[in-house]
Amino acid sequence: MDRGDAVTLGCGPFRRGEHFLMSASVIYALRVECEGLVVRVVMNDVDVFDDWTGARRVVRTEINPYIIEGSNRLEVLLTPMTDDDGQVMDTVREFQLTLIKGEPGHGHDDPARIAHYEWREDEAPVTPGALTDVWSRQFNVRPEHAFGRWVWQDSPSAVPGQEDSLELLALTEIVHSALERRDVDAVVELTAWRDRELARAHGISLDAQVAGQRARYEQLFASPAWSLEAFDPQRLAASPHARGRLMRVTDAVGDAPIKGTDGKHAFTFPIMACRIDGSWTIVR
């Protein structure tokens, strides 16, 4: 999700051979405009954009890490903003979305539009207090325009239990601790699978992906003002995606579970994990 000047490490809004660049010339992106609504945009059963504030938002976010070979499904769920008494707020309500496929280095010139949706309340009324599925689109991606098979696609599909949530909270605390003590090596090790898959999604080598992340951490940690918000597991939650293959850890309002600052910019660290060899591992 767009956060202005915030520094976000990872992905919001990837697995393959370490130096084999597939489909480096393809970028899938969503452009979302919304106001006065709670919004969820879901790609292949994974949230790729959400907003719970109803604020005016104009966001462009790349979604390569959630595109799969073959059939893909994009969904939009909406509900109107309500006040503390549950009454619908008297405000402008609008939403539109465009899914595009383009090439890096070409800016926004002549992207291929895969889908477009503009919500109209008279055509698709939404229920206060409950997200309503107002639109969906199925589209196919040929192998040469995909990125291979993601590790989460082969993760077990199961309803996560209390033990899974506790393991994910423990993983989040380990990451928080590594960031707090400015341990670049530990953070890079904890996000190794995420870097593998992000490299593939971005069409770069694993070495380049890891070097870029390492440089960002080193720059953040070099700031005398580097600090994190205190770790509080009572404010965190874990939600399933992709039929339980993925779990996202968030704070109480759906934002990243780890936040901080280097004194100039806000910092967020999103966490989405899947089971690899029986353990929850950060992959997004």
Side-chain angles (χ1 to χ4, degrees):
M1 284 184 279
D2 180 47
R3 288 289 183 268
D5 291 333
V7 176
T8 301
L9 297 178
C11 132
F14 309 53
R15 181 191 179 197
R16 85 165 169 187
E18 295 183 355
H19 298 286
F20 179 53
L21 305 185
M22 305 171 65
S23 203
S25 62
V26 179
I27 293 177
Y28 296 89
L30 287 174
R31 178 179 170 83
V32 177
E33 297 184 39
C34 58
E35 184 175 4
L37 295 161
V38 174
V39 177
R40 282 184 65 205
V41 179
V42 183
M43 172 65 73
N44 295 322
D45 200 28
V46 181
D47 287 14
V48 290
F49 173 83
D50 56 34
D51 184 82
W52 305 93
T53 68
R56 172 71 178 168
R57 302 284 301 278
V58 179
V59 176
R60 183 183 184 274
T61 182
E62 294 181 13
I63 58 169
N64 283 16
Y66 305 102
I67 294 291
I68 62 176
E69 180 181 327
S71 180
N72 289 256
R73 183 177 177 83
L74 180 63
E75 302 170 83
V76 174
L77 299 95
L78 306 173
T79 189
M81 290 296 297
T82 56
D83 60 23
D84 293 339
D85 296 323
Q87 300 300 308
V88 175
M89 297 176 65
D90 184 15
T91 185
V92 172
R93 287 186 289 276
E94 60 180 33
F95 175 88
Q96 60 177 304
L97 168 150
T98 304
L99 171 63
I100 62 173
K101 181 177 74 174
E103 298 180 11
H106 286 231
H108 303 293
D109 297 336
D110 300 322
R113 191 169 83 172
I114 298 174
H116 179 77
Y117 172 67
E118 185 171 352
W119 175 71
R120 299 185 184 281
E121 192 164 10
D122 58 339
E123 297 176 358
V126 292
T127 304
L131 284 162
T132 302
D133 191 344
V134 297
W135 178 84
S136 65
R137 174 62 56 86
Q138 205 91 11
F139 64 97
N140 286 312
V141 174
R142 299 196 303 271
E144 63 270 25
H145 291 157
F147 308 93
R149 192 166 181 84
W150 303 121
V151 65
W152 59 264
Q153 292 181 262
D154 298 316
S155 184
S157 175
V159 177
Q162 182 65 17
E163 289 185 2
D164 297 301
S165 295
L166 292 174
E167 184 179 342
L168 286 160
L169 292 177
L171 174 61
T172 305
E173 186 172 16
I174 290 169
V175 174
H176 186 279
S177 176
L179 291 165
E180 194 168 46
R181 65 178 186 268
R182 310 183 190 217
D183 190 336
V184 174
D185 291 337
V187 178
V188 169
E189 182 178 354
L190 286 163
T191 57
W193 265 103
R194 182 162 72 184
D195 279 335
R196 292 183 193 183
E197 301 227 308
L198 282 172
R200 180 151 46 111
H202 296 160
I204 61 176
S205 71
L206 177 59
D207 287 346
Q209 170 67 26
V210 172
Q213 293 299 300
R214 183 177 288 276
R216 291 184 183 95
Y217 295 129
E218 290 173 347
Q219 181 179 17
L220 287 167
F221 296 167
S223 170
W226 169 251
S227 65
L228 294 178
E229 294 182 5
F231 181 78
D232 182 1
Q234 299 302 317
R235 297 183 63 253
L236 302 181
S239 58
H241 298 261
R243 300 180 181 178
R245 292 185 174 90
L246 285 166
M247 290 283 283
R248 172 174 277 143
V249 182
T250 67
D251 67 8
V253 295
D255 286 338
I258 299 175
K259 300 176 183 178
T261 180
D262 65 355
K264 295 182 179 179
H265 304 97
F267 167 85
T268 61
F269 192 102
I271 291 180
M272 184 173 281
C274 75
R275 297 181 188 90
I276 298 178
D277 296 330
S279 298
W280 287 101
T281 304
I282 298 171
V283 294
R284 295 290 182 275

